[in-house]
Structures are given as structure tokens and as C-alpha cells.
Amino acid sequence: MDYDLFVIGGGSAGVRCARISAGHGARVGVAEERFWGGTCVNVGCVPKKLLVQAGEYGAWADDAAGFGWTIQKGSHDWPKLIAAKDREITRLEGIYRKLLANAGAQVFDARATFIDAHTLDVGGKRVTAERIVIATGGHPERPPIPGAELGIVSDAAFYLKRMPKRIAIVGSGYIAVEFAGIFRALGAETHLIYRQPLPLRGFDQDMREGLAEALAAQGVVLHPGCRPEAVAADGEGRLLTYGDGKTLAVDLVFFATGRRPSTAGLGLEDVGVATSAGGAVIVDDHLRTSQPHIYAMGDVTDRVNLTPVATAEGHALADSLFGRTPHSISLANVPSAVFSSPPIATVGLTEEQAAARGPVDVYVTRFTPMRHTLTGRNRKTLMKLLVDQATQKVLGVHMLGEDAPEIIQGMAIAVVMGATKADFDRTIGIHPTAAEEFVTLRTRTRVAGVAEAAA
Ligand code: NDP
């Protein structure tokens, strides 16, 4: 065999797995057909957060007046922002590539597909490997409606030549609400069209309600309970038909309607790697596919589609195969954040999930952050703790508000460790912060889960 391990895909999962495996002394090859660092570095988490930050500066310039500053806010230069973002992404992409080469992995800028169970075609070259990892990620998908190709998906949103004046974003998952915040903060008339009554299906109900209010307060026009029906060209612009035949004239239609695992054309069916109806590679707890020497990780498995999960999986597999510390990762209590405006961050169960398991004490607090008592900006913070009545363990921590992702990362350690409400209560707060509310929640808001548990 040419390699001990060949990794298909140079994204978060693949790069980590290849790098750590090579560090353990394995002979490693890794192929990437598009960009090193994958979605996260190039058309996902990293550039997205830079765009979110661009929007925040605009609001801060307005806020400053409340603190006595006289600031003349000029216009925003979108091409300048995109150029600055592109420079940073190019730098990061180079770092990812170099990390692999420095670790001793052989790097191929090519597409890799299966010829047989141990042989790959890598850009026209045949290579053989003892073990193979599929880490090809996913890609955004448009809904099957007439004219869908006239709308963009998130990949293109990062490279728009001009900022749209009016935009319709379809969907209300992570990507939809994050970009709604970005385009609105940069000055676009922003419409969010989604089929649920509230955005972010699957999140805690209080957070969803709070987010809908926050989006509206930011000036995003919400269209709940609406399905997209068709897109047509309207001169340079677009006409979106949605709901029951309503139309919206905009410059840009953006479909943030979900992502799909990228498995088409890899030849998986020929080598007996089982996939789900949606195209995801099916894996067990040790990332093994239906072929014992072929593994899959990250978004291509469509389990928890988050970069830190992908990197942790890559690291765990490398250690298990070639290091002396075999382990797998737990997908329980994975914290995550939505970089909406303000952001949401969460770890553990939602109230709905916790209530289904038994009685829970629910603590909720909502307040205006100190900063906005002077700015006058209509921006609330919402914090929530869910405590199992029987064990007193904190089952879920949720926050909508400024710095939520930074705060919840620390809370996640406590939840993963199995902290109880008494542990939170005996922790001294840091004053004056929003975060201290999590350790000073004394009055229970309500009890949930009694009826559910009895049923
Ligand atoms: P999500 O799966 O989160 O959301 C998809 C949205 O599109 C939902 O609102 C869904 O509605 C809607 N939708 C799907 N199909 C249709 C349709 N045919 N017509 C109308 N609406 C439709 O996908 P995203 O693309 O936002 O994100 C993909 C994944 O990427 C996330 O789940 C997350 O794992 C990851 N991600 C994480 C981020 C972070 O950590 N901050 C940021 C961005 C992405 P409905 O609810 O009704 O099904």
C-alpha cells in the first residue's frame, strides 16, 4: 500500500485527522479539490464571523452618542470589506496547507474517488491505502422550486460584488438568521421568509421567541409561516413568490434552506459504503462505515454539523488508529452558537427536551444590558437555566444576548462535568457582567415536565 491512511477532503475534519496521524508516524496522503480548510475557513464560520463583526461596528457607531461621542457615521464600503476578508481567508488557507505539509502528510490538490476498496483515483493518479477516511463535507442546497437557480446560496454570499439594497433570505436555520443580521446591519432592507411560526426550529422555545423579537427590533422584516414558491428575473432584480401567491421585489434572493452531504460521484456504492437516503455516510460511534477499513467524519456524516465536532472526530480517529490513546467523542452536550444579532448560544437540553424526561425547574431572566441603558438601543438579553428536579443537575443553559458564545463556552464545561444548581449557586459572580446572572438565579420561573413525565 502507498499509504497507511488516505484522507479525502481537506476541511476541518480531514486536515486534523491527516495532521495528527502523520504526527503519530503514519504515512498519510490527503486530497482536496477546492480549498484547504474547507467550508469553515473559506465559506463558513470564519468569513461569516468577520461579516458579523463588520455589522456590529455600524451599530456601535450609532450607540456611541449615548456615551457622549459625536460620531459621523459614513457609508459602508462592501467591496473593501470583502477584499479584507479575502486577504485573511487566503492567509488562513495557506496556513492549513502548510500545517499538513509540515506534519509530513503528502498533499494533493485534486479530487479523489474510489476505484476499489483500497484504491483511489487522485487527480488521475492511482494510489492505494490501508485505511481511507471520507471527510468531504457538505454543500448548500436550493429548494426544488421554479427559478431557484436565480437565487444564491451561502457560498456566493461571501463573494458578492455589491451589497444588495433589498434582500429576501429564505429559511430560518443558522445560516438564514446569521445572514439576516449581517445584511440588515450593513443597511439592506432584509426579509426573512420561513415556513415555521418562529425561526430556528429545534432551539429552545424562549430563545426562538426572543430571537424573533430581536430580529424585528433590528429591522428585519419577518414572514413566518411562508414557503417560497418561485423566483423570476425582474430586470436586474428578482421577484420572489411566496406564501399564498404573495410577491416580493428584491435585488437578491438568498436560499439558506439547508446543506447536503457531498458524496455524489465518489464511487461509494461501488465499494460498499452505505449512505442514508439524504446521501450521508452512515457511521458507528467509532466513525466506521459499513466497510471496516473506511471511516467518515464531519458534515459528510450529517450528525452534528459543527467544525469543533469535526476536528474532535478527526483527532480522535487519528489517536485511535495511530496513537496510543484510542478514544471516541461524545455528541452529548455539544455547545453551539448562532451568530445572529445579538447571538444565541446554548449547551445541553432545550426546555422541551428536558421536560420530556421528567420535572425540571426553569429559571429565566430577561433584562436590558447595562450598555443599552445609555445607548437606548432596543436590545434585550435572555438567559435560561434548566435544572433536573430529581438530581439537581443543570441540564441546559441558553442565552440570547451580547457575548453569549463567549459566556456559554465556560458554562459548557460545567454542564459536561455534571454541575448541579447548588454548584452554580455557590460560585461567586463577576460584577458587573451579564454572565453573573447565571450564578445568581434564585427565583424559579416555573416547573416544566410534570405532565409530560406523568404521560
Ligand atoms: P438548517 O438545517 O439549520 O436550516 C435550514 C432552514 O431551511 C430551515 O429553516 C428549514 O425550515 C428551511 N428549509 C429547508 N428546506 C426548505 C424548503 N424546501 N423550503 C423552505 N424552507 C426550507 O440549515 P443551514 O443551511 O442554516 O445550516 C446548515 C448546518 O450548518 C446547520 O444545521 C449547522 O449544523 C451548520 N451551521 C452552523 C453554524 C454555527 O455553528 N454558527 C453556522 C452555519 C451553519 P424548517 O425549519 O421548516 O425545516
Side-chain angles (χ1 to χ4, degrees):
M1 297 284 173
D2 299 323
Y3 299 99
D4 298 320
L5 180 77
F6 200 95
V7 180
I8 310 176
S12 304
V15 167
R16 178 64 69 90
C17 187
R19 188 163 67 79
I20 303 300
S21 298
H24 287 313
R27 294 172 304 142
V28 178
V30 51
E32 166 59 47
E33 63 174 330
R34 196 172 170 203
F35 31 47
W36 295 97
T39 301
C40 175
V41 169
N42 294 277
V43 287
C45 331
V46 176
K48 176 274 308 286
K49 189 153 178 193
L50 293 173
L51 300 193
V52 167
Q53 288 169 338
E56 283 173 350
Y57 278 103
W60 286 345
D62 295 332
D63 286 349
F67 286 87
W69 291 99
T70 304
I71 291 185
Q72 205 70 45
K73 190 167 100 178
S75 57
H76 182 260
D77 186 339
W78 172 266
K80 191 172 174 184
L81 168 64
I82 295 302
K85 180 269 292 177
D86 287 346
R87 279 195 299 279
E88 174 57 8
I89 299 311
T90 304
R91 187 184 74 86
L92 288 177
E93 206 230 354
I95 288 176
Y96 266 77
R97 200 178 194 291
K98 215 182 300 159
L99 277 176
L100 282 169
N102 289 350
Q106 191 167 356
V107 173
F108 294 86
D109 291 285
R111 180 169 171 79
T113 52
F114 281 92
I115 295 172
D116 63 43
H118 284 282
T119 313
L120 297 167
D121 177 307
V122 182
K125 188 170 181 264
R126 282 172 82 95
V127 304
T128 52
E130 200 75 55
R131 295 184 174 99
I132 295 169
V133 167
I134 304 161
T136 47
H139 56 271
E141 207 177 46
R142 292 173 171 80
I145 58 167
E149 69 286 353
L150 295 170
I152 64 157
V153 290
S154 54
D155 286 9
F158 293 105
Y159 295 100
L160 292 175
K161 294 266 179 293
R162 283 189 302 271
M163 242 294 287
K165 287 203 171 61
R166 299 162 306 167
I167 184 167
I169 300 178
V170 181
S172 63
Y174 284 77
I175 295 178
V177 299
E178 290 180 342
F179 273 99
I182 291 167
F183 284 114
R184 180 66 203 127
L186 296 177
E189 176 189 310
T190 305
H191 297 265
L192 194 64
I193 289 121
Y194 50 100
R195 53 193 186 183
Q196 305 299 327
L198 288 168
L200 284 184
R201 182 165 59 87
F203 279 66
D204 186 277
Q205 180 79 5
D206 281 331
M207 295 295 132
R208 296 177 69 192
E209 288 172 9
L211 176 67
E213 274 179 40
L215 286 165
Q218 201 197 352
V220 175
V221 186
L222 304 180
H223 304 265
C226 292
R227 286 167 187 277
E229 285 169 357
V231 186
D234 177 23
E236 289 272 284
R238 298 285 180 262
L239 207 58
L240 173 72
T241 310
Y242 70 103
D244 293 318
K246 287 181 273 192
T247 54
L248 195 59
V250 288
D251 301 316
L252 197 65
V253 172
F254 179 163
F255 290 111
T257 45
R259 296 176 59 87
R260 217 184 159 79
S262 297
T263 46
L266 287 177
L268 298 185
E269 43 306 317
D270 303 336
V271 291
V273 170
T275 54
S276 71
V281 179
I282 298 166
V283 289
D284 66 11
D285 288 345
H286 302 282
L287 308 171
R288 286 180 299 221
T289 70
S290 50
Q291 284 293 333
H293 70 288
I294 302 178
Y295 302 82
M297 55 177 59
D299 284 8
V300 78
T301 65
D302 199 16
R303 301 193 301 168
V304 179
N305 298 333
L306 299 171
T307 287
V309 171
T311 48
E313 287 177 342
H315 208 125
L317 185 68
D319 285 347
S320 301
L321 295 180
F322 306 110
R324 291 206 193 93
T325 49
H327 60 106
S328 55
I329 69 157
S330 165
L331 296 181
N333 293 323
V334 172
S336 80
V338 185
F339 291 89
S340 46
S341 178
I344 290 180
T346 164
V347 59
L349 303 182
T350 64
E351 180 176 333
E352 297 71 30
Q353 291 167 335
R357 295 177 14 162
V360 272
D361 292 333
V362 182
Y363 297 83
V364 185
T365 179
R366 192 181 150 95
F367 55 92
T368 298
M370 188 194 256
R371 174 196 303 276
H372 297 305
T373 57
L374 294 204
T375 68
R377 181 145 51 123
N378 180 8
R379 207 179 208 206
K380 296 277 190 296
T381 293
L382 181 62
M383 294 164 82
K384 182 165 179 178
L385 218 52
L386 300 161
V387 181
D388 185 329
Q389 270 193 358
T391 63
Q392 284 300 298
K393 279 196 177 162
V394 175
L395 299 179
V397 187
H398 305 269
M399 177 170 176
L400 165 76
E402 290 168 8
D403 303 320
E406 304 292 343
I407 293 168
I408 295 294
Q409 180 68 82
M411 295 293 150
I413 300 174
V415 172
V416 167
M417 289 178 75
T420 62
K421 179 69 167 63
D423 293 324
F424 274 60
D425 291 346
R426 69 191 168 92
T427 304
I428 307 288
I430 298 176
H431 188 70
T433 62
E436 69 179 315
E437 291 289 319
F438 278 127
V439 296
T440 54
L441 286 166
R442 297 280 179 259
T443 313
R444 185 171 69 190
T445 309
R446 60 179 174 269
V447 177
V450 183
E452 289 87 342

